[in-house]
Amino acid sequence: MLLIPAIDLKDGFCVRLKQGEMEGATVFSEQPAAMARHWLDQGARRLHLVDLNGAFAGKPKNEAAIRAIVDELGADIPVQLGGGIRDLDTIETYLDNGITYVIIGTAAVKNPGFLHDACSAFPGHIIVGLDAKDGKVATDGWSKMTGHDVVDLARKYEDYGVEAVIYTDIGRDGMLSGVNVEATVRLAQALRIPVIASGGIAAMADIDALCAVEEEGVMGAITGRAIYEGTLDFAAAQARADALNGGPA
């Protein structure tokens, strides 16, 4: 089980949101590159970046901070990035600049042809992000609910060739209320590609619960507020996940 620290970027700073509300952002660091180094030193084997301004604007907005993080990490660990990615040129630029995986969310729902083209142009580098509440997908930084069923969409994207699906329960993200394991497993069982859980991780009990379902296809989990506020010790959590599931993935 791969635990993936999240660095959410707003106005160049590392922040966390509650349920996607930009106005409620808590700044945890004014130096995102130093924070990235911290998580690497704590044993992270992948990093999750989100350009929050980009997600709302529909185009990249935190390029300087992203570049600084990639420069700081070098080739030490893969970095996955989402937020405001709406065209192939943006994907190519990010990959050329050292990002390993590009996450497409809103654009995948609104323009599935773009996702299909991205998977064809950049095989092995495209992850789809599906944010859902009560099984229905949300878009535009969670500001708009759709009628799309998350499992149905994920199956379609799997056929396109996406590398993995990040599933976020937006009712729990940033709330430290526990992972929606049941919904995550339901999605993973419906797919052949891996699912990365996101939203709600609060404590070691959530790590135990996720490790128990790893064989269902849940390859990892993104954690944010818990590791910043100290309800979860990242290094201890990754060590526990490795111990429960037989060592590093």
Side-chain angles (χ1 to χ4, degrees):
M1 175 67 63
L2 192 64
L3 301 184
I4 310 172
I7 294 182
D8 290 358
L9 298 166
K10 179 177 183 283
D11 304 330
F13 297 157
C14 171
V15 307
R16 290 303 293 167
L17 308 184
K18 288 185 177 180
Q19 295 183 303
E21 293 292 333
M22 288 285 273
E23 294 76 12
T26 302
V27 176
F28 283 105
S29 175
E30 296 182 3
Q31 297 180 306
M35 185 59 70
R37 171 57 60 179
H38 169 74
W39 296 127
L40 177 64
D41 292 344
Q42 290 290 304
R45 299 195 288 271
R46 185 184 294 196
L47 200 63
H48 177 80
L49 305 185
V50 181
D51 180 348
L52 291 172
N53 302 104
F56 284 85
K59 58 185 178 181
K61 287 291 186 179
N62 281 282
E63 299 101 314
I66 293 164
R67 193 176 304 113
I69 289 170
V70 172
D71 289 346
E72 177 67 29
L73 297 178
D76 289 336
I77 59 171
V79 176
Q80 60 190 42
L81 167 69
I85 298 168
R86 304 286 193 271
D87 58 69
L88 296 180
D89 287 343
T90 299
I91 296 174
E92 185 172 25
T93 297
Y94 277 139
L95 294 178
D96 286 347
N97 289 339
I99 295 296
T100 311
Y101 302 105
V102 167
I103 303 161
I104 301 175
T106 292
V109 181
K110 291 188 169 183
N111 185 5
F114 163 59
L115 178 65
H116 190 278
D117 290 345
C119 289
S120 298
F122 309 104
H125 294 283
I126 305 300
I127 293 174
V128 72
L130 290 176
D131 307 326
K133 186 175 184 179
D134 300 325
K136 300 301 181 183
V137 174
T139 62
D140 298 278
W142 306 350
S143 62
K144 298 178 181 177
M145 294 301 300
T146 74
H148 294 297
D149 179 81
V150 66
V151 172
D152 291 342
L153 270 189
R155 282 176 168 156
K156 181 166 75 170
Y157 299 156
E158 176 179 60
D159 291 339
Y160 290 175
V162 299
E163 186 74 5
V165 173
I166 296 173
Y167 174 70
T168 304
D169 184 327
I170 64 176
R172 302 196 185 202
D173 187 79
M175 301 302 289
L176 301 179
S177 57
V179 180
N180 191 336
V181 174
E182 181 182 350
T184 305
V185 168
R186 190 181 310 122
L187 179 60
Q189 289 175 334
L191 303 175
R192 300 180 303 277
I193 56 174
V195 170
I196 299 171
S198 176
I201 288 179
M204 201 67 85
D206 296 307
I207 306 305
D208 293 345
L210 287 167
C211 285
V213 298
E214 184 173 12
E215 290 186 353
E216 302 291 345
V218 183
M219 68 159 282
I222 296 165
T223 176
R225 183 171 287 273
I227 58 175
Y228 287 101
E229 294 193 346
T231 65
L232 183 70
D233 180 291
F234 178 82
Q238 184 62 76
R240 183 175 182 87
D242 290 345
L244 287 171
N245 287 358

